[in-house]
Amino acid sequence: KNQVEQSPQSLIILEGKNCTLQCNYTVSPFSNLRWYKQDTGRGPVSLTIMTFSENTKSNGRYTATLDADTKQSSLHITASQLSDSASYICVVSANGATNKLIFGTGTLLAVQP
Amino acid sequence: NAGVMQNPRHLVRRRGQEARLRCSPMKGHSHVYWYRQLPEEGLKFMVYLQKENIIDESGMPKERFSAEFPKEGPSILRIQQVVRGDSAAYFCASRAGNEQFFGPGTRLTVL
C-alpha cells in the first residue's frame, strides 16, 4: 500500500533555532518527492521537488534531502522565524501519467519567540 | 496572474442538501485535481480532470459525489445529499508540468 509517514507529529522550537523534519515513504513506483508548507486555513505551497536522482535541494532557509534507497527524506529549516509556524507536508508522486500525489499527515511546527 | 481560485471559501449545508464547490485553475492550465482533507488527516486525492474529461476518479466515493470540468468555466465538485461525514476542507490544484498549485480551499460544514 502506498503510504507516507512523517515525524514528529508536532514540534515546538524557539525563534532562531534549527529543526529537522522526517519523512518515510512506501510509494512505488516512485516519481518524485515534494515538501509543502500549509499555513492554517490556506492551501499547501510547494517548497521543494526532488526526483530519484537528486539527494538534496535548497530553497532559502529550507533544505530537503532524499535517500531513495532507504526511502527517507528530511526537511531542515535553518534560523527559524515566527512565520515558519505551519504544517509541513511530505508528498510523494507515484510514477504514472496522472501525477497523483500521496500526502503525509504533516508535522505541525510552532516557532515561539 | 491570479492563482488558483476556489469559491465559496466557507459553505454551510444541512444534511440532505447539495453542495457545489467551484475551482478556477491558473490561466492556461487545463488539468485540475480535487483533494479532501478531513480534520486531523492529510489531504487525500479524489479526482483528476482535464477539460471535458475525467481522467482518474479512483479517490472519489462512488455515490453522491461527482465532478466536472467543462470547456468553459470552472471545475465543479458536486456533493448530493450531504452527510455530517462530508464536513472537510476541499482543495483543488491546477497543474503545469510536474508542479501542482493549490487553491485556498473550501471549508464545508454539514449541520
Side-chain angles (χ1 to χ4, degrees):
Chain A
K1 183 182 177 183
N2 289 331
Q3 274 189 307
V4 178
E5 295 181 348
Q6 293 186 242
S7 63
Q9 199 170 10
S10 61
L11 183 62
I12 301 173
I13 61 173
L14 292 176
E15 188 179 8
K17 298 296 186 183
N18 305 334
C19 66
T20 301
L21 315 179
Q22 303 291 345
C23 173
N24 299 311
Y25 62 92
T26 55
V27 177
S28 182
F30 173 86
S31 176
N32 57 67
L33 184 145
R34 309 139 187 254
W35 282 93
Y36 282 88
K37 179 185 179 189
Q38 185 177 21
D39 292 307
T40 303
R42 304 256 181 134
V45 174
S46 179
L47 296 175
T48 63
I49 298 179
M50 288 185 291
T51 59
F52 182 86
S53 58
E54 295 177 292
N55 300 121
T56 184
K57 185 165 274 191
S58 290
N59 177 5
R61 296 181 294 105
Y62 302 105
T63 300
T65 65
L66 174 63
D67 186 334
D69 292 329
T70 61
K71 299 188 178 181
Q72 293 179 326
S73 175
S74 67
L75 180 70
H76 186 75
I77 304 174
T78 305
S80 60
Q81 300 176 358
L82 297 178
S83 59
D84 292 334
S85 296
S87 181
Y88 290 85
I89 309 172
C90 176
V91 184
V92 180
S93 176
N95 205 7
T98 63
N99 198 230
K100 191 162 51 179
L101 302 182
I102 299 154
F103 287 76
T105 53
T107 292
L108 186 60
L109 174 66
V111 179
Q112 296 184 342
Chain B
N1 187 11
V4 178
M5 312 275 281
Q6 288 187 252
N7 69 81
R9 292 294 309 278
H10 300 273
L11 183 60
V12 179
R13 285 287 178 266
R14 297 193 180 278
R15 280 178 296 168
Q17 290 184 319
E18 178 179 288
R20 278 184 180 241
L21 287 60
R22 294 174 195 79
C23 170
S24 296
M26 291 177 74
K27 189 176 181 180
H29 292 190
S30 59
H31 301 246
V32 166
Y33 298 76
W34 284 93
Y35 297 88
R36 177 165 65 174
Q37 187 173 30
L38 294 169
E40 309 298 323
E41 293 189 15
L43 277 77
K44 295 280 197 309
F45 167 81
M46 298 182 73
V47 62
Y48 165 42
L49 311 104
Q50 292 182 18
K51 283 281 187 183
E52 300 185 275
N53 286 302
I54 295 175
I55 306 302
D56 183 346
E57 56 182 346
S58 58
M60 201 146 73
K62 294 285 185 284
E63 296 178 354
R64 300 189 299 108
F65 285 72
S66 62
E68 62 176 8
F69 190 14
K71 188 176 180 180
E72 301 291 337
S75 175
I76 307 284
L77 179 67
R78 184 182 176 207
I79 311 172
Q80 294 178 291
Q81 299 175 318
V82 296
V83 301
R84 287 215 173 108
D86 295 333
S87 296
Y90 292 83
F91 292 94
C92 80
S94 70
R95 173 182 154 192
N98 218 14
E99 183 69 81
Q100 289 189 26
F101 300 88
F102 285 81
T106 292
R107 272 141 196 89
L108 173 65
T109 302
V110 180
L111 302 177

